Amino acid sequence: RRYMQVFAFFVIDFYPTWLLLVAKALRCQDLPGGGGRVVWSAPVQGCSALWWWPALGVLVLLALVPLGLFVFVKRAVTVREWRLVRSVLQMLESCFKEKFNWWDSNFLLRRLLLVFVVSFVPGDGRQRALAQAVLALTLTAQTICEPFRRGLDNICEVTCLLILIFLCGLKRGDKATRAMAFDDAGENAGWLREIDLLGVSVLLTVPYVFLAVHYVGKAQAAVSLSEGG
């Protein structure tokens, strides 16, 4: 049973590493002078169909892991008396409320989307904007559901997501500022810089506003409940 728990932990913990490894294997580049195509992260490996399609198949299988974990947790409840299943479920459910015992699949989905953005979306600006969107959606789901049993775990998760969103926006804004400093496009440079900074500010502010509104509403509901009692 302990080995099954270790295996389940191994799958969840190393999932993004496997995704990044396979995603890098799919990125190809042309050699100068028409020398063919090679794998971007391993130039000694030719990027042939015999290499690319199996790697794509592995990536598709890895992309189904979050769904597979969700289905497993939902289905395994009916056979909880099996020892191996019970040990894995205990590991997966230990931190979460009963109705959110599948929340680890949400973590895997977030990692899948972030790896997809980093590996396949062109342009640093687009990558950071989409990564912010994924993190903002995750933050919204976390704030609404509060899936952890302990309040401190929920606070830690929200804090980490806010920090990630802030850092992602900060890097994007810093790059835009430096680019505009060397841009000699003239009068349009100022407008472009202001628009970019405004977009970064909105992306940074919305999650905090949503978080504040949510908890203010909860506080008001608690006060109303205590006054009614």
Side-chain angles (χ1 to χ4, degrees), residues 60-136:
V60 171
L61 291 177
L62 287 175
L64 295 175
V65 170
L67 178 61
L69 181 61
F70 177 82
V71 173
F72 168 77
V73 173
K74 289 299 183 181
R75 296 286 186 180
V77 175
T78 60
V79 291
R80 183 183 291 272
E81 65 275 7
W82 295 2
R83 290 185 177 181
L84 294 179
V85 173
R86 183 169 64 248
S87 63
V88 175
L89 282 179
Q90 287 174 351
M91 193 274 292
L92 294 175
E93 297 174 341
S94 59
C95 298
F96 305 110
K97 299 174 183 176
E98 184 177 356
K99 63 180 179 178
F100 296 115
N101 57 358
W102 48 268
W103 200 257
D104 269 321
S105 62
N106 179 62
F107 290 153
L108 297 185
L109 179 61
R110 180 178 71 194
R111 295 166 182 173
L112 171 65
L113 293 175
L114 290 175
V115 169
F116 178 83
V117 168
V118 172
S119 301
F120 299 109
V121 175
D124 290 343
R126 292 179 181 177
Q127 288 181 359
R128 293 192 177 98
L130 288 175
Q132 279 184 309
V134 171
L135 293 171

